[in-house]
Amino acid sequence: MHAGNDHNGAVDQATKDFLAARPRLFGIAYRILGSSVEAEDIVQETWLRWHNEDRTNVVEPTAFLTTVTARLAINLAQSARVRRESYIGPWLPEPVDTTVDPQVGAERAEALELAVLFLMEKLNPVERTAYVLREAFDYPYHRIADILETSEANARQLVSRARKHLAAERRKRVSPAEHRRLLEVFLAAARTGDLSVLENLLAEDVVSYSDGGGTRGASKVPVIGRLRVARYLAAFAPRFWPEADIRWVEANGRPSVLVSAGGNAVALLCIDASADGIDRIMWVMNPSKLLPYVASLSG
């Protein structure tokens, strides 16, 4: 009887340790993978491993769980890269609702915006993981080195390379208030097909990405350049917007617009903006990414 109580107590403690770490584990896996569905799978697999582990030798449960999660996510990210090469059209990350947990389990809301997750796809999974652990979760380099089974010097190199890559790809962002204003003006101009307003809003090298995953009438190639994007938006305005209902939402820490038609969500519109104007327009239209997000909004 006594042994049974000890066992139950150990299982209860293991469950408490896991649940306490769970938001962080999801936050790490989500940033490495850019997919909330895949991140949930990783968290479940981490739980199974934790449950079956001989925990008597585990001194720091959170450190153990973080290490398992990060390594599983790296492995999945490596196979995901191959899968995404055959993805139809542009691939965008899966959005998450950040109204409940503004930082999605992290010390700070870094590496969370849709545009950053999108750019991080160009990093290899180990660089991406090092960057996430350092920038979002403030892990010391020696801990990052342990998780990645590398030297501390190499961990520093990985983070440095990732920072340089992202800095080269992305200009300084506008304030949250300006971001919201630009999206409001953009939405009004896009709905009416106002070419001159659109051209004034867009950066010269703006890119519009539509992720339909081959299942919707989304553009299968990115639309590039101020004039091309403005004309593209103006051309499809009469077909797309008259039937549409819009709802302001938050996705990945930024204001976004959920577009529905006939009561069904058809797109999540997000932008990325700098002092030069809107430089990325992202339309998440793939139902496998859109529907989990919409479900999370309704709680």
Side-chain angles (χ1 to χ4, degrees):
M1 187 72 179
H2 181 65
N5 287 341
D6 284 353
H7 174 73
N8 290 341
V11 170
D12 286 349
Q13 187 56 50
T15 305
K16 278 182 191 163
D17 290 337
F18 176 79
L19 291 175
R22 197 185 191 290
R24 169 172 292 216
L25 305 182
F26 176 83
I28 291 169
Y30 173 68
R31 286 168 170 83
I32 295 170
L33 294 161
S35 163
S36 55
V37 173
E38 288 177 355
E40 285 292 355
D41 289 343
I42 292 293
V43 171
Q44 283 303 310
E45 178 63 26
T46 300
W47 162 248
L48 289 174
R49 295 197 181 194
W50 177 236
H51 187 68
N52 296 326
E53 179 70 21
D54 176 6
R55 295 181 298 275
T56 52
N57 298 322
V58 177
V59 180
E60 292 181 56
T62 303
F64 176 91
L65 291 164
T66 299
T67 301
V68 171
T69 297
R71 290 177 184 172
L72 286 170
I74 288 170
N75 290 341
L76 187 55
Q78 283 162 342
S79 64
R81 279 164 85 89
V82 177
R83 288 201 310 279
R84 283 168 195 166
E85 283 169 12
S86 59
Y87 192 83
I88 298 169
W91 181 93
L92 291 173
E94 247 174 71
V96 289
D97 175 19
T98 40
T99 53
V100 178
D101 179 358
Q103 299 178 325
V104 188
E107 305 288 328
R108 45 191 186 224
E110 294 298 320
L112 187 57
E113 289 174 51
L114 224 56
V116 176
L117 292 171
F118 173 67
L119 292 175
M120 286 192 341
E121 278 295 298
K122 293 182 183 176
L123 305 175
N124 72 51
V126 176
E127 280 175 343
R128 183 167 178 162
T129 303
Y131 180 81
V132 163
L133 292 172
R134 181 66 186 170
E135 295 300 313
F137 295 87
D138 205 22
Y139 275 81
Y141 286 105
H142 69 87
R143 283 284 297 116
I144 298 170
D146 289 345
I147 291 168
L148 300 178
E149 298 179 289
T150 188
S151 66
E152 188 172 330
N154 193 43
R156 288 178 183 276
Q157 276 287 317
L158 290 166
V159 174
S160 174
R161 278 207 303 269
R163 279 182 185 143
K164 282 176 186 163
H165 171 79
L166 292 174
E169 293 271 342
R170 197 169 185 240
R171 303 178 187 103
K172 191 175 186 307
R173 297 300 90 195
V174 295
S175 70
E178 177 63 2
H179 183 105
R180 168 89 186 205
R181 187 194 72 80
L182 285 168
L183 183 52
E184 284 173 351
V185 178
F186 173 82
L187 180 64
R191 293 178 81 179
T192 55
D194 192 325
L195 206 57
S196 64
V197 173
L198 287 168
E199 284 184 45
N200 284 333
L201 284 172
L202 303 175
E204 192 176 345
D205 57 355
V206 63
V207 186
S208 177
Y209 302 93
S210 304
D211 179 345
T215 54
R216 288 196 193 275
S219 173
K220 291 188 174 67
V221 293
V223 184
I224 302 168
R226 179 185 287 147
L227 201 55
R228 277 203 180 117
V229 171
R231 284 175 177 165
Y232 169 76
L233 292 166
F236 83 64
R239 296 196 304 276
F240 187 71
W241 294 108
E243 304 297 316
D245 297 308
I246 66 158
R247 173 183 171 190
W248 282 88
V249 290
E250 184 181 292
N252 297 64
R254 289 289 192 179
S256 306
V257 175
L258 184 64
V259 185
S260 301
N264 297 313
V266 294
L268 181 74
L269 165 62
C270 308
I271 63 165
D272 199 25
S274 67
D276 294 338
I278 295 170
D279 38 31
R280 282 181 193 84
I281 305 163
M282 294 162 284
W283 307 85
V284 180
M285 302 174 82
N286 184 338
S288 69
K289 297 180 181 183
L290 197 52
L291 298 181
Y293 172 78
V294 174
S296 73
L297 293 178
S298 55

